Amino acid sequence: MKITIRQETREDHKEVFSLIEKAFEKEPYSDHREQFLVERLRKSSAFIPQLSLVAEAKGVVVGYILVTALKIKGEREEFDSLALAPVAVLPELHGKGIGAQLIEEAHRKAIELGYTSVILLGHAAYYPRFGYRQAHTFGITLPFEVPKENCMAIELVADALKGVQGVVAYPQEFYE
Ligand SMILES: CC(C)(COP(=O)(O)OP(=O)(O)OC[C@H]1O[C@@H](n2cnc3c(N)ncnc32)[C@H](O)[C@@H]1OP(=O)(O)O)[C@@H](O)C(=O)NCCC(=O)NCCS
C-alpha cells in the first residue's frame, strides 16, 4: 500500500482526532482518551511540530504518530529525551506496515533534530523490532505503576543512554 508520511497540519486535526478514537476503540488497556491527550500536547511546550506526523493514502489520513519532548531526571542531572505517544493506524489497515513506517520516520526526523533517544509505554511484543529495550535495563524508570516489559527506550544514536539514569518526567499534559 502506497502511503505518504508528512508533518501534520492544522487541517488534519479533525481527521487525526477521529483516527485515534477509532484505533484505540477496541484496545482493552486504553482509557479511550488518547485523542484528547494529543489535543493537549499540541498546545504544550513539549510539542515538536516536525514530530507530529500523519500517514496519508489517497488523500485520507490512515495513521498518526506523535513524539514530544520530555526529561529524564537523575539525582544530580537531567537529560533531554522524547516520548512516543501515541502511534495509531486505522483498524482496517493494521498489519500493513504503516505503524512501522511512522515509527521509523519519526526516529529519522528526531535524529535530524538532534535528539538521541525515545521512551515509550507500549506493547511489549511490538517495539523491540525497532530496537527498543526495556527501559530499566538502561537505569530508566517511568513514574507510573506499570509492568516493566511495557516501559521501553531506544538509543537513536549509539550509547546515547550510557550514563543516563533516572525517572522519566512526562509533561504535565500527560496527567490531565
Ligand atoms: C500498534 C499499531 C500502531 C501498529 O500499526 P500497524 O500498522 O498495524 O503495524 P505494522 O503493520 O507495522 O506491524 C504489524 C505487527 O505489529 C504487531 N502488533 C500490532 N499490535 C500489536 C500489539 N498490540 N501487541 C503486539 N504486537 C502488535 C502485529 O502482530 C504485527 O506483527 P507481525 O509483523 O509479527 O505480524 C496499530 O496496531 C494500532 O493502531 N493499534 C491501536 C492503537 C495502539 O495500540 N497504539 C499503540 C499504543 S502502545
Side-chain angles (χ1 to χ4, degrees), residues 23-24 27 29 87-89 94-100 122-123 126-127 129:
F24 282 94
E27 290 292 335
Y29 62 84
V87 53
V89 171
H94 283 181
K96 295 185 186 300
I98 299 171
H123 308 302
Y126 185 53
Y127 297 95
R129 68 189 70 187

Side-chain angles (χ1 to χ4, degrees), residues 3-168:
I3 60 160
T4 308
I5 297 183
R6 59 167 175 82
Q7 189 174 321
E8 180 197 39
T9 68
R10 189 175 286 276
E11 287 67 44
D12 298 314
H13 289 186
K14 255 181 143 170
E15 219 177 333
V16 167
F17 184 95
S18 128
L19 163 91
I20 298 171
E21 202 172 23
K22 284 185 205 151
F24 282 94
E25 197 176 2
K26 298 210 169 87
E27 290 292 335
Y29 62 84
S30 163
D31 64 1
H32 310 294
R33 296 186 60 78
E34 289 80 0
Q35 63 277 23
F36 298 107
L37 170 65
V38 168
E39 296 219 311
R40 291 195 299 277
L41 284 171
R42 279 199 200 101
K43 294 182 203 144
S44 86
S45 59
F47 187 65
I48 303 163
Q50 299 93 321
L51 300 182
S52 178
L53 303 174
V54 294
E56 198 175 45
K58 295 183 184 154
V60 175
V61 173
V62 295
Y64 176 71
I65 191 166
L66 180 60
V67 176
T68 48
L70 57 66
K71 301 268 185 206
I72 300 168
K73 295 203 171 172
E75 275 181 23
R76 278 185 290 276
E77 276 179 274
E78 56 178 40
F79 309 91
D80 288 312
S81 186
L82 294 170
L84 191 168
V87 53
V89 171
L90 277 184
E92 58 271 29
L93 296 175
H94 283 181
K96 295 185 186 300
I98 299 171
Q101 288 185 61
L102 280 165
I103 293 167
E104 299 286 10
E105 184 61 14
H107 287 173
R108 261 194 298 277
K109 289 258 185 278
I111 294 167
E112 259 175 44
L113 293 169
Y115 292 95
T116 59
S117 64
V118 184
I119 313 289
L120 63 80
L121 179 59
H123 308 302
Y126 185 53
Y127 297 95
R129 68 189 70 187
F130 303 104
Y132 283 85
R133 283 169 38 196
Q134 292 188 18
H136 71 90
T137 65
F138 293 108
I140 296 168
T141 54
L142 265 60
F144 323 112
E145 287 276 331
V146 278
K148 274 184 182 164
E149 63 268 25
N150 300 118
C151 306
M152 284 174 266
I154 187 173
E155 294 177 315
L156 298 174
V157 171
D159 295 332
L161 293 173
K162 213 171 172 180
V164 176
Q165 293 185 341
V167 183
V168 172

